[in-house]
Amino acid sequence: MQETLKNLTATAREEIAAAADEQQIEALRVKYLGKKGELTALLKGMGALSPEERPKMGQLVNEAKSEIDGLIGEKSAELKSAAQNKRLLEETVDITMPAKRSAVGGLHPLNKVLDDMIDLFQSMGFDVVDGPEAETDYYCFEALNVPKDHPARDMQDTFYLGENLVLRTQTSAAQIRVMEKREPPIRIICPGRVYRADEVDATHSPVFHQVEGLVVDKGITLCDLKGCLEQFAQEIYGPETQVRFRPSFFPFTEPSVEVDVTCSECGGKGCRVCKGTGWIEILGAGMVHPNVLRAGGIDPDVYSGFAFGIGLDRLTTTRYKISDIRLLFENDLRFLDQFAGK
Ligand code: PHE
């Protein structure tokens, strides 16, 4: 039996050394070490030996087994790295070959303008906050000094979701939510979608975008509002841009203003875009009404503030000279592709 084992080990050594690939090695592993392999057969045959011989023989078989196992492991690692080296040599990369072009997506023009605005306002110390689009009547109107039956409600045709739940008609709804949660000094912008029951045409859409701004601190005046908006307009439209305040009315600000910038198309001379006036209206703003500060839990005798609501869609259409607001909402790739990478 010892003789058989010796021969078997010797053949195994030769065969393993001669194996040319992984498959052959695997076959050898089965042949010698597998359940029905030759060594296992030898172990099984040990029953025929005398009790004195058995332990010795067992030890020899085990030694042979671990030798063969070790040889197979070594050979297999050797074959693997040889195969890899061969592949590396064969697969040289031609770095002068032109690359395949893959299509790259781009940001929606609204997002580009919004990103610029966020950068700008963050650099002035504003935080960006979010608010719900389905908003309660309280935050959208009541707390903003627009009680039920107030004629100002007609200014904004509201989509009602329930008796006290609306699709927010203005991001101003965020003002009160912020004041409830934060102590002055407050400096936030709240960008988002707003909804009004408007007929769709080239300049109107039932869903559009606003960016609300709110600043509350001690000693805030209309001058601060003007300075802030001037900086904003010059950043977005260019350094020569001028800003003009026109008196207006919003229930939640007093005084209220509408803000125009010099037309970026003609520089203020008058053209088709600005309908010959030289000015383009971009936002509504004003000093936060004392009732609104109170509703937000802030003492109007100690603090004052300003707020503004910028129409993001108008800003985007004028910046990119887009003639129809509907293009912003249709997601036609032929339109959107023009902005990729710009
Ligand atoms: N919410 C107003 C609108 O939608 C804009 C505005 C915001 C006016 C903040 C004043 C202050 O028309």
Side-chain angles (χ1 to χ4, degrees):
M1 198 164 183
Q2 279 196 27
E3 201 56 28
T4 327
L5 182 61
K6 240 190 205 154
N7 290 341
L8 192 145
T9 319
T11 337
R13 277 193 209 116
E14 274 167 33
E15 286 184 352
I16 292 170
D21 58 34
E22 280 282 301
Q23 265 168 346
Q24 285 180 15
I25 276 288
E26 191 47 40
L28 289 174
R29 188 196 303 281
V30 175
K31 178 173 171 196
Y32 289 105
L33 306 175
K35 260 197 204 141
K36 292 182 184 149
E38 302 197 7
L39 275 174
T40 324
L42 262 187
L43 277 174
K44 278 183 192 150
M46 273 172 50
L49 297 175
S50 69
E52 298 82 54
E53 281 176 312
R54 237 178 263 162
K56 178 137 184 281
M57 194 60 206
Q59 199 192 344
L60 286 177
V61 174
N62 277 334
E63 277 168 17
K65 207 174 166 181
S66 68
E67 184 192 336
I68 295 177
D69 195 33
L71 286 175
I72 287 183
E74 273 169 33
K75 185 72 185 181
S76 145
E78 197 181 293
L79 285 173
K80 249 189 211 146
S81 81
Q84 192 180 24
N85 283 340
K86 187 158 165 260
R87 250 189 43 220
L88 285 176
L89 276 177
E90 281 167 4
E91 293 178 7
T92 45
V93 178
D94 180 359
I95 54 165
T96 61
M97 235 161 79
K100 272 192 209 133
R101 245 177 216 289
S102 51
V104 191
L107 287 177
H108 192 283
L110 282 171
N111 282 92
K112 283 176 187 287
V113 177
L114 179 57
D115 282 354
D116 286 353
M117 279 177 66
I118 288 177
D119 276 353
L120 168 68
F121 281 109
Q122 276 180 337
S123 78
M124 295 200 268
F126 285 70
D127 279 347
V128 180
V129 304
D130 205 8
E133 289 178 27
E135 186 55 283
T136 60
D137 183 277
Y138 175 77
Y139 286 113
C140 197
F141 297 120
E142 198 84 34
L144 289 172
N145 207 28
V146 190
K148 293 227 155 62
D149 306 322
H150 191 287
R153 288 203 179 203
D154 285 349
M155 283 162 68
Q156 304 177 355
D157 289 318
T158 311
F159 286 117
Y160 279 86
L161 299 175
E163 200 184 334
N164 284 313
L165 198 64
V166 303
L167 284 176
R168 70 177 171 196
T169 57
Q170 49 187 356
T171 44
S172 303
Q175 288 187 24
I176 303 290
R177 289 185 176 273
V178 168
M179 285 191 255
E180 282 176 340
K181 278 197 220 93
R182 300 191 181 202
E183 298 284 321
I186 293 172
R187 248 183 265 138
I188 60 99
I189 56 169
C190 172
R193 280 191 206 107
V194 295
Y195 302 82
R196 291 184 199 176
D198 270 334
E199 289 291 327
V200 179
D201 64 28
T203 53
H204 292 88
S205 159
V207 47
F208 55 104
H209 301 81
Q210 288 185 333
V211 180
E212 193 77 9
L214 175 70
V215 170
V216 181
D217 202 355
K218 286 181 181 151
I220 297 288
T221 69
L222 206 62
C223 282
D224 297 311
L225 172 63
K226 192 155 191 199
C228 176
L229 292 178
E230 223 151 41
Q231 184 144 1
F232 155 74
Q234 287 171 359
E235 197 75 30
I236 296 286
Y237 286 107
E240 299 84 39
T241 311
Q242 279 167 39
V243 172
R244 158 174 104 168
F245 277 17
R246 276 181 293 109
S248 182
F249 172 80
F250 298 102
F252 30 89
T253 45
E254 181 58 37
S256 300
V257 292
E258 264 166 330
V259 179
D260 301 338
V261 293
T262 39
C263 175
S264 57
E265 185 72 26
C266 61
K269 285 191 219 77
C271 67
R272 253 187 59 225
V273 175
C274 55
K275 300 198 181 81
T277 62
W279 297 93
I280 293 187
E281 184 197 326
I282 54 160
L283 61 93
M287 299 304 293
V288 182
H289 196 291
N291 288 351
V292 175
L293 288 173
R294 254 180 239 118
I298 289 172
D299 184 352
D301 293 329
V302 182
Y303 293 103
S304 57
F306 66 73
F308 54 82
I310 303 173
L312 185 60
D313 311 86
R314 168 77 74 88
L315 220 62
T316 306
T317 52
T318 49
R319 166 145 153 199
Y320 291 115
K321 303 193 175 32
I322 298 167
S323 56
D324 193 323
I325 192 178
R326 284 171 286 199
L327 289 165
L328 294 177
F329 300 99
E330 283 164 356
N331 287 332
D332 184 333
L333 279 177
R334 289 168 301 178
F335 167 73
L336 293 176
D337 269 350
Q338 302 174 66
F339 300 92
K342 265 177 222 153

